[in-house]
Amino acid sequence: MRLLIAGGGTGGHLFPGIAVAEEFLSRKKGNEVLFVGTWRGIEARVLPKLGYRLECITAAGIRGKGSVARAKGLAKFLYGYAQSRKILKEFKPDLVLGVGGYASAPALLAARGMSIPRFIHEQNAIPGFTNKMLATVAERVFISLEESRKFFPEERTLLTGNPLRRQILEQVALAPQEERADDAFHLLVFGGSAGAHRINLIMGEVLPYLEDVKERLRITHQTGENDLEDVTSVYEEQGIAADVVAFIDSMADAYRWADLVVCRAGATTIAEITACGKPCIFIPYPHAVDDHQRRNAEALLKRGAGFVIIEQELSGEVLAKTIRDLMVDPARLKSVGEAAQGLARLDAAQVIVDEMMTSQRKEK
């Protein structure tokens, strides 16, 4: 069988698609996967390194744009639609899955015109414009959070969770906890693959408030390339043990040793946090479309599965106090971590592949 996965742009869209690809390829020797994305998206950098085939099309957003930009976006869409039809004719997929992002719309609509079974996966509590539109032509809508169900046709919507890459599932979620060689408190700080400038800056304000506990504190901080040098200097000046890196190659290892996580609230991050059962202080990105990161974090907060500090209320003192309070309350950390793990859906990729293959058999 052949599966075409369309979309990307960000890791939040791409990585669930990779998880589904891993599951699909594991089902049967000879199965094939083709990704369709754009040259500007993260897929153009990540997929070739992982050995996946990628075809790039022209696509652009039109939401919130001026009349000239909308006209250009429509022209790009029509060209991307023609490119998608050509790719579909050549690859001849049995199934098409849209994972969000600009490239998913022309590919899914082209699949509809060619009567190829098509599906979408929504990662966030508040769906993006593209997936809301594509839900009208998708045979099945897979959602990660219950909060997004109300935006889609009830009879075609299935709560699956957010698919996770096997690196996370095998090395963390399914692996036994190793014994610590020390009694330090391990804090993991990151803001996605490119880092988060605001989180990087605020940690410099946090450190003076943690002066009296710095001997016990061990921090791993992923900064992204731009802030690496500045953040490294701040930790050195404060004399706090920290492993400051531009990019963490093995998030599985980073999660395994973390007692507490400070991060944004993207859908993939939340899926990984819940799978690993880690207590987390979420600082949602305030400029995300429809404020969906805040909604993602609040979905955990109301279930006692995380903590949330919105940027309007964020300060070094506030974040430091939250960290300090949790450092001396292991019982609370444990209960929040367990609540987070209770929301995990480790079989998301399996369920999605099962559902797509079942629908494809019915088509025949």
Side-chain angles (χ1 to χ4, degrees), residues 157-216:
T157 300
L158 178 66
L159 176 64
T160 62
N162 203 8
L164 288 167
R165 292 164 289 167
R166 293 193 171 184
Q167 178 200 38
I168 300 296
L169 292 177
E170 294 175 358
Q171 295 186 40
V172 179
L174 304 181
Q177 182 68 45
E178 297 177 26
E179 289 296 325
R180 282 271 183 80
D182 57 45
D183 62 351
F185 186 89
H186 291 253
L187 180 68
L188 172 62
V189 182
F190 67 96
S193 58
H197 184 62
R198 179 65 176 133
I199 291 178
N200 291 341
L201 290 179
I202 203 66
M203 286 305 296
E205 301 175 26
V206 165
L207 299 180
Y209 292 101
L210 300 176
E211 174 67 26
D212 61 322
V213 295
K214 70 179 184 181
E215 297 303 321
R216 187 184 168 214

Side-chain angles (χ1 to χ4, degrees), residues 348-361:
Q350 299 172 35
V351 172
I352 288 172
V353 172
D354 285 343
E355 287 291 325
M356 290 195 298
M357 294 180 77
T358 298
S359 295
Q360 193 267 349
R361 285 194 290 268

Side-chain angles (χ1 to χ4, degrees), residues 81 143 193 198 245 295 319:
Y81 178 85
I143 58 175
S193 58
R198 179 65 176 133
V245 295
R295 301 295 184 89
L319 180 54

Side-chain angles (χ1 to χ4, degrees), residues 252-296:
D253 288 334
Y255 284 130
R256 179 180 294 122
W257 296 114
D259 293 300
L260 178 65
V261 182
V262 176
C263 62
R264 292 299 195 191
T268 297
T269 295
I270 284 181
E272 292 176 351
I273 291 292
T274 55
C276 301
K278 295 297 177 178
C280 183
I281 302 171
F282 294 108
I283 305 174
Y285 179 57
H287 306 298
V289 177
D290 296 320
D291 203 15
H292 69 255
Q293 285 208 7
R294 180 171 179 172
R295 301 295 184 89
N296 291 348

